[in-house]
Amino acid sequence: MYRILIVDDDTTILDDNQSYFNAMGYEVICADSAETAQEIILSNSLDCVILDVDLPGMSGFMLCEKIREKTGIPIIFLSGYTEEENRIRGLSIGGDDYVCKPYSLKELELRVQARIRSGRAAEPPRTLTYGSFSIFPASCSASYDTRSVDFSSYEFDVLYFLAKHPGKIFTPDQIYDSVWKAPINKGQKSLQVIMGRIRKKLYEICPDHDFIQTKRYKGYLFVPK
């Protein structure tokens, strides 16, 4: 039985989601605020979090950033905000999926299943080292000589995927399909934003080399120094 946490301050949505997932055999824990959800996440074994963005006090985005420092649990955002910039922000800070309201409960369940199964099926990641440059999955960080930098979950997933295949060019579609399996926003703009953030952080620790390079009309590749 999967155990999931549903976080929403709308009691109607919370009740409807809880009833549906209970009927489908899930163990459901509910929270109506980010503060309560944070306590639950850090003190319970969970398989997935369904997280509303627009919460009183701490927003869903803020909660995601906080818990990403401690856990890689799958997070699926629910939101009435359909603008691309909000979807990009949710994915960039470590969310695994972004579902706009109104939504199909069956589709939401399929997304939950996909994220849980993807996480459980993945092989344990290993540290990658290329000379003085190392990538650490356990902490979602990288170092060059004595300098280090941290990445969000989404940024790190892209960096790690490319670094596992040094010198190989991947198109944006290939990166989406390989890293996120079932992307909700397959436009290149969101990937460009993530790539820009990865490059900026890598520049902070190694300003004289571009580890992530772009091949015009082809895609992206990781180039060891």
Side-chain angles (χ1 to χ4, degrees), residues 160-214:
Y160 191 80
F161 171 72
L162 292 175
K164 284 196 303 182
H165 308 89
K168 183 175 181 179
I169 300 172
F170 292 91
T171 67
D173 280 354
Q174 288 174 324
I175 294 173
Y176 272 117
D177 293 340
S178 298
V179 175
W180 299 312
K181 311 301 181 185
I184 59 152
N185 177 29
K186 213 165 186 175
Q188 290 191 23
K189 183 177 179 181
S190 59
L191 184 60
Q192 289 170 351
V193 170
I194 293 172
M195 286 297 187
R197 291 177 177 171
I198 295 172
R199 283 171 163 158
K200 181 180 179 181
K201 291 182 178 181
L202 292 177
Y203 180 82
E204 293 174 3
I205 61 174
C206 185
D208 62 346
H209 180 71
D210 293 326
F211 286 100
I212 302 296
Q213 299 183 14
T214 303

Side-chain angles (χ1 to χ4, degrees), residues 6 8-9 22 34 39 47 68 101 105 109 116 121 124-125 136 139 143 151 172 186 203 206 209 222:
I6 303 176
D8 205 304
D9 65 325
N22 278 152
E39 294 178 6
D47 293 295
R68 270 294 170 256
K101 299 177 181 179
L105 284 168
E109 185 204 357
I116 292 174
F136 307 101
S139 57
S143 70
F151 297 89
K186 213 165 186 175
Y203 180 82
C206 185
H209 180 71
F222 176 84

Side-chain angles (χ1 to χ4, degrees), residues 21-216:
F21 279 95
N22 278 152
M24 299 306 294
Y26 292 76
E27 180 181 347
V28 181
I29 302 174
C30 294
D32 60 5
S33 71
E35 289 78 10
T36 301
Q38 183 175 2
E39 294 178 6
I40 294 172
I41 292 168
L42 298 180
S43 60
N44 287 269
S45 175
L46 300 169
D47 293 295
C48 188
V49 177
I50 300 173
L51 178 60
D52 185 38
V53 171
D54 194 14
L55 295 169
M58 188 194 310
S59 70
F61 287 152
M62 293 172 63
L63 174 61
C64 179
E65 290 180 309
K66 281 181 172 291
I67 65 175
R68 270 294 170 256
E69 298 172 0
K70 301 179 181 297
T71 176
I73 184 175
I75 296 174
I76 299 177
F77 283 116
L78 293 183
S79 177
Y81 302 120
T82 59
E83 296 85 357
E84 184 181 33
E85 62 184 280
N86 285 296
R87 298 198 302 271
I88 291 172
R89 182 183 177 191
L91 300 178
S92 298
I93 63 175
D96 296 281
D97 213 334
Y98 191 106
V99 178
C100 295
K101 299 177 181 179
Y103 53 87
S104 158
L105 284 168
K106 182 59 180 177
E107 179 185 357
L108 178 60
E109 185 204 357
L110 290 174
R111 289 176 183 264
V112 168
Q113 288 182 6
R115 293 305 168 190
I116 292 174
R117 290 171 180 168
S118 176
R120 292 189 171 187
E123 64 177 81
R126 68 186 191 281
T127 297
L128 301 178
T129 299
Y130 299 97
S132 299
F133 180 69
S134 295
I135 301 174
F136 307 101
S139 57
C140 287
S141 65
S143 70
Y144 184 81
D145 287 338
T146 60
R147 299 179 293 274
S148 63
V149 65
D150 296 326
F151 297 89
S152 72
S153 175
Y154 249 66
E155 294 164 354
F156 186 82
D157 287 346
V158 174
L159 172 62
Y160 191 80
F161 171 72
L162 292 175
K164 284 196 303 182
H165 308 89
K168 183 175 181 179
I169 300 172
F170 292 91
T171 67
D173 280 354
Q174 288 174 324
I175 294 173
Y176 272 117
D177 293 340
S178 298
V179 175
W180 299 312
K181 311 301 181 185
I184 59 152
N185 177 29
K186 213 165 186 175
Q188 290 191 23
K189 183 177 179 181
S190 59
L191 184 60
Q192 289 170 351
V193 170
I194 293 172
M195 286 297 187
R197 291 177 177 171
I198 295 172
R199 283 171 163 158
K200 181 180 179 181
K201 291 182 178 181
L202 292 177
Y203 180 82
E204 293 174 3
I205 61 174
C206 185
D208 62 346
H209 180 71
D210 293 326
F211 286 100
I212 302 296
Q213 299 183 14
T214 303
K215 293 298 181 181
R216 195 173 184 183

